[in-house]
Amino acid sequence: MLVYDITKQQTFDHVARWLEELRGHVDKNITIMLVGNKSDLGTLRAVPTEDTKEFAQRESLFFMETSALESINVEPTFLSSSSLLKGTKLVVPGQEPIPVGGYNCCKYS
């Protein structure tokens, strides 16, 4: 997740660089979500939603706006990001799962 503050244009201006750095250091098959926070402060909005939607579409990102203060879309953001991973097997190096049936290293025939 890349999170920016909808009330501060500067935070959104950094998203392209953050995205470039992220893509340069992770597997190409990851899902990236762009999250605009502080949607409860709509009167102070500095980043237009349409600009963000266009950027997200152009960069193939999922997009959502949230308000951590008022708990708006926070849970759905995490639930939707986890549902994007359904059926995806993530293996962390050094924490590979034990095969079904355990190891057969010491089994005698």
Side-chain angles (χ1 to χ4, degrees):
M1 280 186 206
L2 294 175
V3 182
Y4 69 95
D5 181 340
I6 71 161
T7 67
K8 295 181 181 171
Q9 180 68 43
Q10 184 180 4
T11 62
F12 182 70
D13 292 344
H14 291 296
V15 169
R17 183 173 48 91
W18 297 337
L19 181 59
E20 182 181 334
E21 288 179 23
L22 180 63
R23 286 183 170 156
H25 292 90
V26 297
D27 185 285
K28 303 270 185 250
N29 296 318
I30 68 164
T31 300
I32 303 172
M33 181 177 274
L34 181 60
V35 180
N37 192 32
K38 297 189 181 179
S39 64
D40 57 292
L41 299 177
T43 59
L44 300 176
R45 177 182 291 276
V47 182
T49 303
E50 285 306 312
D51 292 355
T52 310
K53 284 181 181 179
E54 288 173 16
F55 177 82
Q57 185 175 14
R58 186 173 59 250
E59 295 293 335
S60 301
L61 307 174
F62 291 91
F63 170 68
M64 188 173 281
E65 287 191 346
T66 65
S67 168
L69 179 67
E70 294 183 0
S71 296
I72 298 170
N73 281 341
V74 174
E75 187 173 350
T77 298
F78 284 97
L79 293 176
S80 66
S81 64
S82 68
S83 71
L84 295 171
L85 295 174
K86 284 204 186 307
T88 304
K89 183 177 180 181
L90 299 176
V91 177
V92 178
Q95 297 181 10
E96 291 83 2
I98 297 173
V100 177
Y103 290 107
N104 292 325
C105 68
C106 303
K107 191 174 182 180
Y108 296 101
S109 353

